[in-house]
Amino acid sequence: MAPRALITGITGQDGAYLARFLLEKGYEVHGMVRRSSTETFERINDLRHRITLHQADLLDQLSIITLLQNVRPREVYNLAAQSFVPTSFLQPLLTGEFTALGVTRVLEAVRLVDPSIRFYQASSSEMFGKVQREPQDEQTPFWPRSPYGAAKAYGHWITVNYRESYGIFACSGILFNHTSPLRGKEFVTRKVTDAVARIKLGAQDKLVLGNLEALRDWGFAGEYVDAMWRMLQLDHPDDFVIATGEKHSVRELVELAFAHVGLDWRPYVTIDPELFRPAEINTLRGDAGKARSQLGWQPTLSFADLIHMMVDADRERVARELAE
Ligand code: NAP
Ligand code: F7E
């Protein structure tokens, strides 16, 4: 019988890649979606006939319990969250409800319905915040710099706590920034590649950004979902940093994306101080040595190839839209 997996946040970037990955592995894939007046299934439209979607919400405990009772999965991947850092400053309480307490609600449902379920929590390098060491690994202390980071730190520790208290097979993947052509357009990588495509095709003339000096460790989402799955196949649950080990600035990202279409970025980019954050994370770089040795996982796509792939995908899409 095919193993059954449930993905919360299946309509997001990682959910879409993970669903494809698990289908290829022969899984029966179920996804949790929240009710909305407009469907947000764009990233999984091509998979609709191969997966089963169920309505539930991270804010609603009973809906998650009922979902687990109906699906009875072997693995649960908890990817749902309010994941945009600037929004977490504007809506800190809602971010705490989704991104922090939402994790406990899913874990409580696992504990109640079937404690043998294998559980993956989408933790984040944002927990390292004001970094205490470089590169960051599983032992580096947390110092979150946003309500989002603080909520993820809670989600991480509650996951560890349910493993230690109740013996639940719960893993926390501490993933550094990862992106792709499916990335939300509000995140800086996609904001830049979409703008470059539009500028090249004459549909936009300016790109307004915030802090160009921030450094991030960016990988490809398509490769990072493989690491999530590998964690849940271990003999014993554990926590892993997933990263490339390289850092690049937003400025470098911008230069690279514009150069790929033969443009100099300087005439097009302006800086708006409103886009700077109340507290910034200046630098992040992960050490995924433990994942390499214990999961056999390592990234292969270079930063330049990743950004070029995203610019190319956006160019194709924008050209199609303009032709319609
Ligand atoms: P994303 O594209 O923002 O997707 C978030 C998902 O969560 C969407 O499917 C969204 O559904 C769902 N969601 C939000 N609130 C919900 C609620 N109350 N009930 C049910 N579903 C809800 O995020 P992503 O980039 O795929 O990231 C996946 C996870 O990894 C997130 O937890 C994120 O915080 C974490 N993470 C991401 C990165 C990264 O660089 N991408 C790095 C580390 C950790 P709608 O479609 O309805 O909005
Ligand atoms: O910002 C700077 C900004 O919003 C990256 C989420 O997936 O990764 C993501 O969080 C950097 C920051 O991602 C703009 O100040 C400059 O320093 O793309 P981002 P993030 O905040 O790093 C982590 C690991 C997660 O877990 C999160 O869920 O870019 N920046 N100018 C800008 N950022 C944005 N968004 N827009 C700008 O115009």
Side-chain angles (χ1 to χ4, degrees):
M1 217 168 65
R4 194 176 300 150
L6 172 70
I7 304 173
T8 76
I10 195 164
T11 56
Q13 169 189 259
D14 290 6
Y17 278 104
L18 181 62
R20 277 177 186 77
F21 177 88
L22 293 176
L23 285 170
E24 273 164 31
K25 288 245 172 258
Y27 276 69
E28 181 184 315
V29 175
H30 294 253
M32 175 180 119
V33 293
R34 54 179 168 167
R35 196 267 159 187
S36 160
S37 67
T38 322
E39 278 190 356
T40 55
F41 300 164
E42 204 179 298
R43 296 185 178 100
I44 49 169
N45 264 339
D46 56 322
L47 305 178
R48 283 298 291 279
H49 60 290
R50 300 170 67 200
I51 60 179
T52 313
L53 299 180
H54 309 260
Q55 254 184 39
D57 199 298
L58 283 180
L59 296 183
D60 192 291
Q61 179 71 73
L62 190 56
S63 73
I64 304 171
I65 293 170
T66 309
L67 172 62
L68 290 195
Q69 282 169 338
N70 289 339
V71 175
R72 300 307 299 246
R74 185 177 90 180
E75 296 170 10
V76 170
Y77 296 86
N78 185 38
L79 309 186
Q82 191 304 94
S83 76
F84 191 45
V85 172
T87 296
S88 79
F89 285 103
L90 297 173
Q91 299 177 357
L93 296 176
L94 192 66
T95 300
E97 286 287 352
F98 286 5
T99 305
L101 284 178
V103 186
T104 312
R105 292 192 189 98
V106 181
L107 282 165
E108 277 291 84
V110 166
R111 190 164 79 90
L112 189 79
V113 175
D114 177 4
S116 75
I117 287 172
R118 293 184 168 218
F119 175 84
Y120 172 85
Q121 168 57 17
S123 290
S124 165
S125 53
E126 286 286 310
M127 302 188 301
F128 296 122
K130 187 174 172 186
V131 296
Q132 303 296 295
R133 287 203 282 272
E134 181 169 338
Q136 297 83 50
D137 64 16
E138 294 78 5
Q139 304 308 321
T140 307
F142 299 154
W143 190 316
R145 294 273 281 172
S146 65
Y148 170 81
K152 280 290 177 187
Y154 172 91
H156 170 81
W157 285 119
I158 202 72
T159 300
V160 173
N161 183 258
Y162 272 56
R163 181 167 77 218
E164 294 177 352
S165 303
Y166 307 117
I168 288 174
F169 192 109
C171 295
S172 171
I174 306 174
L175 271 53
F176 280 62
N177 297 55
H178 45 282
T179 187
S180 71
L182 298 185
R183 184 68 151 148
K185 284 188 198 152
E186 69 275 42
F187 298 96
V188 76
T189 43
R190 186 77 197 291
K191 183 175 174 181
V192 169
T193 61
D194 179 60
V196 164
R198 300 183 71 78
I199 289 169
K200 182 69 182 173
L201 294 167
Q204 185 172 325
D205 53 12
K206 278 260 163 290
L207 169 59
V208 184
L209 291 172
N211 180 11
L212 297 187
E213 309 316 324
L215 296 156
R216 289 290 185 278
D217 178 334
W218 278 293
F220 173 42
E223 294 184 333
Y224 282 36
V225 297
D226 178 6
M228 298 176 187
W229 174 78
R230 285 175 192 246
M231 286 179 217
L232 295 200
Q233 313 315 310
L234 290 170
D235 290 336
H236 303 286
D238 206 344
D239 308 321
F240 293 90
V241 159
I242 301 298
T244 69
E246 277 181 31
K247 63 182 175 187
H248 300 272
S249 65
V250 175
R251 182 184 297 275
E252 245 180 292
L253 152 74
V254 171
E255 279 170 4
L256 204 59
F258 275 90
H260 188 55
V261 298
L263 293 175
D264 175 5
W265 64 281
R266 281 166 291 205
Y268 299 101
V269 173
T270 55
I271 302 301
D272 180 354
E274 286 288 310
L275 292 173
F276 283 62
R277 297 171 182 184
E280 174 66 287
I281 297 180
N282 297 324
T283 181
L284 283 174
R285 184 167 73 88
D287 173 357
K290 181 175 167 186
R292 198 167 43 246
S293 63
Q294 294 185 28
L295 300 176
W297 178 88
Q298 58 183 19
T300 60
L301 200 65
S302 74
F303 178 62
D305 286 346
L306 173 60
I307 299 306
H308 292 165
M309 172 178 81
M310 290 175 65
V311 172
D312 291 343
D314 276 324
R315 250 181 111 167
E316 263 178 47
R317 183 189 47 82
V318 173
R320 237 186 357 259
E321 284 170 9
L322 292 175
E324 276 166 9

